[in-house]
């Protein structure tokens, strides 16, 4: 059986910055509250006219260039997102055209876990022999679904995209993946209106039902419970333990979640990758963005073991254990 390994990474953050100071002028909040409760200092916002497919395009392009892969050689494009450009066509189809690819393309939607889910789909396609080269992108513009009058949510999110190129190899790269979902927690984190259950009407828009709603405390407890469990299951599949992990790369939702998880897993905090300060919660983009940061800073070495761990609305969760095989950048 073929294995899948990562041969390229690309990231993209829009230029427009929104700092905590900017937010102080918009809602009743403070830089001090946001920093101590979340670790976030600033986040990026998609430019006017820039949609999720544009973010995905920029990250995808960078990943293909990094991998040295031509568009004609991509067999499958997967875009993990929960802020698609529109209900249909899929963001992946739109991104496929922007990238000049000719391959099948589809979205994978599992909220902030979308990238790990998409990585699973791409890995499975390669292991089954149905694809040789897969472009996996995590991209979200969740600030388009946030109520900028609601201080409980508007301080948390940012926009961005990250991508990896997966390719068939004899040497194992993606070692193990654990995924989970529990729809009984659907109410914890959702955008109620705009789908088939509750189409957008003037009244619903007036009530703000088209905005993201979150029971922050509940999601926090869920996150710190599920991250160690799913990581340990993916590690066990890979024949490894936490001690073998060089870098833990969790979904970047809150610095306090990262710190709590590090303590629960007995991981030194400097082995837990954090980029939240400058990006906020970029949903499906956060794991590949953090990986990209590690890569461009020269901190990824061949042989390193990465544990990528996502969690989010659904509820959904998942972890992928990756052995890094690419030479130092
Ligand atoms: N500025 C100032 N005060 C605020 C703000 C703000 N921006 N937001 C909330 N507060 C106030 C509240 O009103 C509350 O005031 P009260 O005590 O007078 O009622 C107080 O601060 C405490 O509020 P909590 O909600 O209890 O604050 P908490 O410490 O739990 O932090 C937070 C809130 C940051 C949202 C945290 O719960 C969290 O990070 N949860 C996890 C979020 C997460 O992981 N989301 C993943 C999304 S992934 C996806 O799938 C989209």
């Amino acid at each position: 059986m073929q294995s899948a390994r990562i041969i390229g990474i690309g990231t993209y953050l829009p230029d427009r910055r929104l700092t905590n100071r900017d937010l102080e002028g918009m809602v009743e909040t403070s830089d001090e509250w946001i920093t101590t409760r979340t670790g976030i200092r600033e986040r990026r916002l998609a430019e006017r006219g820039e949609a999720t497919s544009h973010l995905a395009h920029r990250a995808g392009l960078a990943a293909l260039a990094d991998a040295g892969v031509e568009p004609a050689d991509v067999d499958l494009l997967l875009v993990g997102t929960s802020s698609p450009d529109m209900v249909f066509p899929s963001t992946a189809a739109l991104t496929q055209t922007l990238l000049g690819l000719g391959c099948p393309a589809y979205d994978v939607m599992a909220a902030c876990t979308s990238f790990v889910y998409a990585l699973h789909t791409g890995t499975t396609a390669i292991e089954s022999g149905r694809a040789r080269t897969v472009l996996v992108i995590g991209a979200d513009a969740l600030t388009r679904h946030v109520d900028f009058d609601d201080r409980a949510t508007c301080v948390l999110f940012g926009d961005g995209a990250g991508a990896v190129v997966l390719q068939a190899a004899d040497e194992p790269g993606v070692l193990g993946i654990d995924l989970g979902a529990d729809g009984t927690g659907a109410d914890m984190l959702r955008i109620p209106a705009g789908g088939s259950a509750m189409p957008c009407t003037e009244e619903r828009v007036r009530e703000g039902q088209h905005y993201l709603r979150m029971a922050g405390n509940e999601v926090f407890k869920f996150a710190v419970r599920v991250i160690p469990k799913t990581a340990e299951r993916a590690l066990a599949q890979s024949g490894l333990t936490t001690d073998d992990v060089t870098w833990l790369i969790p979904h970047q939702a809150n610095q306090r979640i990262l710190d709590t998880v590090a303590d629960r897993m007995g991981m030194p905090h400097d082995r837990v990758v954090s980029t939240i300060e400058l990006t906020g919660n970029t949903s499906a983009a956060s794991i590949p963005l953090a990986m990209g940061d590690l890569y461009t800073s020269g901190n990824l070495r061949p042989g390193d073991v990465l544990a990528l761990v996502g969690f989010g609305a659904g509820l959904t969760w998942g972890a992928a254990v990756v052995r890094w095989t690419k030479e130092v950048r």
Side-chain angles (χ1 to χ4, degrees):
M1 187 178 78
Q2 287 281 280
S3 294
R5 71 180 190 115
I6 295 175
I7 60 160
I9 301 189
T11 59
Y12 175 69
L13 286 170
D15 288 336
R16 190 150 65 115
R17 285 185 155 81
L18 182 72
T19 66
N20 291 352
R21 293 278 178 222
D22 296 329
L23 284 160
E24 284 178 349
M26 296 163 67
V27 286
E28 203 182 322
T29 190
S30 66
D31 175 44
E32 202 257 333
W33 192 95
I34 303 170
T35 311
T36 52
R37 294 295 182 116
T38 72
I40 303 167
R41 288 187 192 278
E42 62 175 56
R43 65 291 287 144
R44 304 294 184 92
L45 303 187
E47 304 286 345
R48 198 182 292 271
E50 201 174 31
T52 300
S53 64
H54 300 117
L55 309 180
H57 167 227
R58 298 290 291 267
L61 209 58
L64 291 176
D66 183 52
V69 164
E70 294 299 325
D73 294 329
V74 179
D75 301 317
L76 176 64
L77 168 65
L78 301 165
V79 177
T81 188
S82 43
S83 47
D85 288 29
M86 50 192 113
V87 174
F88 61 77
S90 70
T91 302
L94 299 168
T95 307
Q96 183 241 34
T97 299
L98 292 171
L99 285 167
L101 306 180
C103 61
Y106 57 93
D107 290 355
V108 176
M109 192 199 257
C112 299
T113 322
S114 297
F115 179 76
V116 178
Y117 266 62
L119 196 71
H120 173 262
T121 309
T123 300
T124 307
I126 288 174
E127 288 176 350
S128 69
R130 290 190 179 271
R132 189 179 138 66
T133 306
V134 182
L135 178 57
V136 181
I137 306 177
D140 263 312
L142 271 189
T143 66
R144 293 277 157 80
H145 298 282
V146 162
D147 179 359
F148 276 94
D149 286 328
D150 174 17
R151 69 177 182 174
T153 51
C154 75
V155 302
L156 302 174
F157 294 93
D159 303 331
V164 298
V165 178
L166 286 177
Q167 197 164 68
D170 297 329
E171 188 185 6
V174 181
L175 306 178
I177 303 189
D178 176 66
L179 298 181
D182 176 9
T184 63
D187 284 350
M188 267 190 224
L189 194 47
R190 62 197 180 116
I191 298 175
S196 58
M198 205 189 270
C200 269
T201 60
E202 223 173 286
E203 191 189 354
R204 286 173 183 146
V205 169
R206 212 178 314 116
E207 291 166 357
Q209 305 246 35
H210 60 306
Y211 288 131
L212 183 152
R213 304 265 175 95
M214 178 171 72
N217 268 314
E218 294 308 308
V219 177
F220 193 105
K221 284 184 250 169
F222 153 68
V224 298
R225 198 175 56 240
V226 82
I227 294 173
K229 280 195 186 147
T230 188
E232 273 155 30
R233 280 196 290 261
L235 282 163
Q237 258 184 52
S238 317
L240 300 172
T241 70
T242 334
D243 292 340
D244 299 306
V245 175
T246 321
W247 299 107
L248 177 67
I249 311 183
H251 166 48
Q252 309 281 304
N254 186 320
Q255 185 59 45
R256 288 189 296 135
I257 292 177
L258 304 188
D259 293 343
T260 308
V261 162
D263 293 341
R264 289 196 178 180
M265 292 178 71
M267 295 270 306
H269 287 218
D270 62 0
R271 290 282 172 197
V272 182
V273 180
S274 173
T275 54
I276 193 161
E277 183 182 355
L278 301 178
T279 60
N281 179 346
T282 55
S283 191
S286 93
I287 291 174
L289 276 171
M291 261 175 93
D293 202 60
L294 204 58
Y295 179 55
T296 49
S297 61
N299 282 312
L300 274 184
R301 312 238 166 261
D304 281 359
V305 172
L306 316 180
L308 318 176
V309 192
F311 63 90
L315 298 169
T316 55
W317 59 88
V321 176
V322 172
R323 188 179 299 283
W324 190 253
T325 51
K326 196 173 157 73
E327 280 309 313
V328 181
R329 196 179 156 95

